């Protein structure tokens, strides 16, 4: 076992509630690689956006148009990963290593079946999607092509989501970090080859001709999909070959088990519904923004991409919270689970306060990374400064949600997101867009993020999630 694993195991077995220093150390040991991993995952989108942005605002709009729908599909994949990975964390926390390995095998089987199914749906949807979203006819062709190619890569996208999640919940956050770094290395190289046409290039004083396919927007999608597929295969290699508590073997295969699938359903369905209502709301908002014009679509897409800088560290802390709370609950250490949950949530608030300051102070520079269009830069900068003030409570919602899921509470985050996204953001967007345009939509977003964060913290501190038992039919312990 690694030193990190030994220290965490000792923490779970220690009598009494550990001190603040030990608890913080456990969080940081898992969190920092997860934070880097989240940055690496988002950089794929950043690289695509920046490199496609050099082709003009229409190309940027084509990629941005389908981003909300892509998030919808990725939401289903993330929900599936939650359904299996939290089981892995709780089994390992309870010392049931073989049960954890059974879950990993079933997650592999599920990935193949569900990935192919979702990819087929995405492929069929790619043809009418731009028109359904009300896109300008000039960008429909590229938008449809981009999403169609990404749909073909969906089995591998699910695989990277699933396998990185189960590895993280086994306490190894470094391996997913390294492999997601490789996705970006592959993506940059392949983007260079497939987006642009053959052209002269000068590097360190040397001039040569760089081959290029010249596929434009389609080349960016192809590069991202191929990069994801390559790394998905590397994740599989890790699961089969790297020595760990969840290492699996072809000699010892496990079929689907009813208990595992029911637990995955109980965890994954609310998470899938949450992601669905969030992403469907984003699609509605995208449709609202599309009616404003191409500049608004491009500005919104770049601002959303830039905003993600601020919450990447919080997402990494949330990953650590899921693992720590999950393993603590599996070990029967409710006191430790509660301490972990509260600590990571306040860390999320602190991190996102700093993130909000970055958004406010460097809003113009962040948009300029992706576009040189003066109108896009001006509008994108304005909306970033608006949302900067909501980032601290947004951080609370991100990290508290991860902690609650580690305990098996997926229903709470779903209900909270349903109420705030549709009751606050959509409603206010429809009210404000007519008079304020894109600025009104982002004011509605800021209001909703604040409301969501407050409700999440209330749920976390009430503590009802401590009585959930993931492996009983009812989902609750007797008397809970």
């Amino acid at each position: 076992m690694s030193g990190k694993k030994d220290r965490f195991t000792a923490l779970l077995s220690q009598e009494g509630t550990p001190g603040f220093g030990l608890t913080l150390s456990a969080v940081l040991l898992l969190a920092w690689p997860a934070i880097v991993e989240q940055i690496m995952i988002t950089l794929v989108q950043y690289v695509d956006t920046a490199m496609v942005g050099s082709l003009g605002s229409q190309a940027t709009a084509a990629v941005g148009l389908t981003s909300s729908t892509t998030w919808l599909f990725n939401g289903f994949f993330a929900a599936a990963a939650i359904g299996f990975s939290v089981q892995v964390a709780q089994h390992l926390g309870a010392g049931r290593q073989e049960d954890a390995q059974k879950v990993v095998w079933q997650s592999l089987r599920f990935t193949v079946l569900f990935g192919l199914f979702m990819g087929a749906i995405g492929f069929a949807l790619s043809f009418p999607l731009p028109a359904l979203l009300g896109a300008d006819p000039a960008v429909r062709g590229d938008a449809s092509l981009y999403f169609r190619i990404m749909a073909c890569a969906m089995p591998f996208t699910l695989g990277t989501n699933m396998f990185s999640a189960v590895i993280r919940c086994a306490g190894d956050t470094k391996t997913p970090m390294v492999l997601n770094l490789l996705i970006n290395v592959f993506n940059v190289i392949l983007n260079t080859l497939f987006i642009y046409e053959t052209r002269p290039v000068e590097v360190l004083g040397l001039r040569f001709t760089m081959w290029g396919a010249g596929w434009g927007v389609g080349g960016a999608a192809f590069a991202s999909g191929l990069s994801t597929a390559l790394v998905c295969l590397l994740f599989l290699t890790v699961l089969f070959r790297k020595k760990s508590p969840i290492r699996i073997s072809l000699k010892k295969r496990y079929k689907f088990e009813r208990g595992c699938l029911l637990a995955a359903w109980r965890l994954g369905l609310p998470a899938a519904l949450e992601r669905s209502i969030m992403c469907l709301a984003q699609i509605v908002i995208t449709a609202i923004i599309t009616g404003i014009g191409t500049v608004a679509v491009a500005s919104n897409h770049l601002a959303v991409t830039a905003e993600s800088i601020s919450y990447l560290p919080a997402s990494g802390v949330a990953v650590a919270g899921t693992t720590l709370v999950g393993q603590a609950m599996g070990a029967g250490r409710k006191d430790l689970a509660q301490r972990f949950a509260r600590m990571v949530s306040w860390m999320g608030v602190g991190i996102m306060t700093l993130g909000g300051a970055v958004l406010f102070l460097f809003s113009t520079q962040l948009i300029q990374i992706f576009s040189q269009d003066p109108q896009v830069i001006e509008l994108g900068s304005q909306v970033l400064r608006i949302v900067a003030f909501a980032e601290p409570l947004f951080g609370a919602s991100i990290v508290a949600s991860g902690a609650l899921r580690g305990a098996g509470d997926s229903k709470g985050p779903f209900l909270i997101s349903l109420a705030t996204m549709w009751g606050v953001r959509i409603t206010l967007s429809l009210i404000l867009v007519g008079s304020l345009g894109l600025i009104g939509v982002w004011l509605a977003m800021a209001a909703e993020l604040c409301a969501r964060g407050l409700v999440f913290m209330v749920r976390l501190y009430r503590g009802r999630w401590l009585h959930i038992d993931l492996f009983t039919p009812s989902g609750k312990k007797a008397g809970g």
Side-chain angles (χ1 to χ4, degrees):
M1 287 187 181
S2 67
K4 177 174 67 177
K5 182 68 176 176
D6 288 339
R7 274 176 280 177
F8 184 57
T9 303
L11 194 64
L12 289 177
S13 60
Q14 178 179 324
E15 291 186 7
T17 303
F20 177 84
L22 286 174
T23 310
L24 179 62
S25 174
V27 172
L28 294 178
L29 281 169
L30 284 177
W32 78 261
I35 291 170
V36 175
E37 180 193 357
Q38 294 300 312
I39 294 172
M40 293 302 103
I41 291 171
T42 302
L43 276 178
V44 175
Q45 181 70 25
Y46 266 61
V47 169
D48 277 358
T49 302
M51 297 182 83
V52 169
S54 66
L55 303 177
S57 59
Q58 284 195 348
T60 301
V63 174
L65 181 71
T66 61
S67 61
S68 294
T69 311
T70 301
W71 295 335
L72 174 60
F73 278 79
N74 287 341
F76 284 113
F77 300 155
I82 289 168
F84 289 94
S85 63
V86 171
Q87 294 185 70
V88 170
Q90 294 207 10
H91 281 312
L92 291 178
R96 301 188 294 264
Q97 183 171 319
E98 185 175 0
D99 286 338
Q101 292 169 347
K102 289 180 180 179
V103 172
V104 174
W105 250 113
Q106 291 172 83
S107 74
L108 175 57
R109 293 178 182 274
F110 182 86
T111 295
V112 174
L113 297 175
F114 191 60
L116 290 173
F117 174 72
M118 294 300 287
I121 292 176
F123 189 89
L125 183 61
S126 67
F127 295 95
L129 182 62
L132 291 174
L133 293 175
D136 188 309
V139 303
R140 289 182 186 179
D142 278 344
S144 178
L145 176 63
Y146 186 86
F147 190 76
R148 184 156 59 252
I149 295 172
M150 296 301 288
C152 293
M154 282 181 182
F156 301 105
T157 304
L158 172 57
T160 56
N161 271 271
M162 182 71 75
F163 307 143
S164 62
V166 297
I167 291 170
R168 284 195 306 264
C169 280
D172 177 8
T173 52
K174 289 184 179 179
T175 298
M177 174 191 73
V178 172
L179 293 183
N180 279 294
L181 172 61
L182 284 179
I183 285 185
N184 286 278
V185 174
F186 294 153
N187 194 45
V188 170
I189 294 171
L190 294 173
N191 269 344
T192 302
L193 295 176
F194 290 102
I195 291 177
Y196 309 112
E197 296 180 350
T198 301
R199 63 210 179 278
V201 175
E202 183 174 345
V203 179
L204 299 176
L206 299 175
R207 292 181 63 85
F208 58 94
T209 300
M210 171 73 74
W211 177 86
W215 291 351
V217 170
F222 180 79
S224 296
L226 182 56
S227 301
T228 303
L230 292 172
V231 171
C232 180
L233 295 177
L234 291 177
F235 269 116
L236 279 173
T237 302
V238 169
L239 287 176
F240 279 100
R241 299 186 64 86
K242 184 177 180 179
K243 187 176 181 180
S244 76
I246 59 169
R247 181 179 178 180
I248 55 178
S249 170
L250 291 173
K251 296 179 181 179
K252 195 172 184 181
R253 288 172 281 187
Y254 300 97
K255 297 181 180 180
F256 285 123
E257 294 180 351
R258 184 173 181 272
C260 175
L261 293 179
L262 283 175
W265 177 263
R266 190 179 303 127
L267 279 168
L269 179 61
L273 291 174
E274 179 194 356
R275 298 298 180 96
S276 296
I277 61 102
M278 296 280 283
C279 293
L280 285 172
Q282 290 288 357
I283 292 172
V284 171
I285 290 172
T286 299
I288 293 172
I289 294 170
T290 301
I292 305 174
T294 300
V295 170
V297 172
S299 300
N300 180 73
H301 175 58
L302 297 186
V304 169
T305 304
E307 189 219 1
S308 64
I309 291 174
S310 67
Y311 62 74
L312 293 177
S315 298
V317 175
V319 167
T322 300
T323 301
L324 292 165
V325 172
Q327 292 207 17
M329 291 291 286
R333 293 297 307 273
K334 292 184 179 181
D335 60 324
L336 196 54
Q338 187 173 55
R339 169 166 285 201
F340 279 138
R342 293 181 178 181
M343 177 175 286
V344 296
S345 297
W346 283 109
M347 285 178 66
V349 173
I351 288 170
M352 292 286 274
T353 300
L354 295 175
V358 170
L359 289 183
F360 188 86
L361 295 173
F362 301 101
S363 57
T364 300
Q365 292 85 344
L366 288 170
I367 300 298
Q368 285 176 334
I369 293 173
F370 310 111
S371 176
Q372 297 304 312
D373 186 320
Q375 289 181 296
V376 172
I377 293 170
E378 175 62 24
L379 186 55
S381 301
Q382 289 181 31
V383 297
L384 277 184
R385 287 192 288 270
I386 289 169
V387 82
F389 293 96
E391 297 300 287
L393 284 171
F394 186 25
S397 69
I398 291 172
V399 183
S401 177
L404 292 172
R405 288 197 180 94
D409 181 10
S410 287
K411 187 183 296 184
F414 160 62
L415 294 174
I416 293 169
S417 299
L418 174 65
T420 60
M421 181 61 90
W422 289 88
V424 179
R425 187 181 300 193
I426 295 295
T427 302
L428 285 180
S429 292
L430 291 171
I431 293 171
L432 298 176
V433 70
S435 57
L436 298 176
L438 186 64
I439 290 175
V441 174
W442 279 66
L443 283 170
M445 177 195 296
E448 186 270 328
L449 293 178
C450 290
R452 194 195 317 173
L454 289 171
V455 178
F456 262 110
M457 291 299 279
V458 169
R459 185 173 184 86
L460 186 79
Y461 270 82
R462 290 182 68 182
R464 291 185 178 179
W465 51 274
L466 291 167
H467 303 291
I468 294 173
D469 188 345
L470 182 60
F471 302 108
T472 60
S474 66
K476 293 184 180 181
K477 294 183 178 179

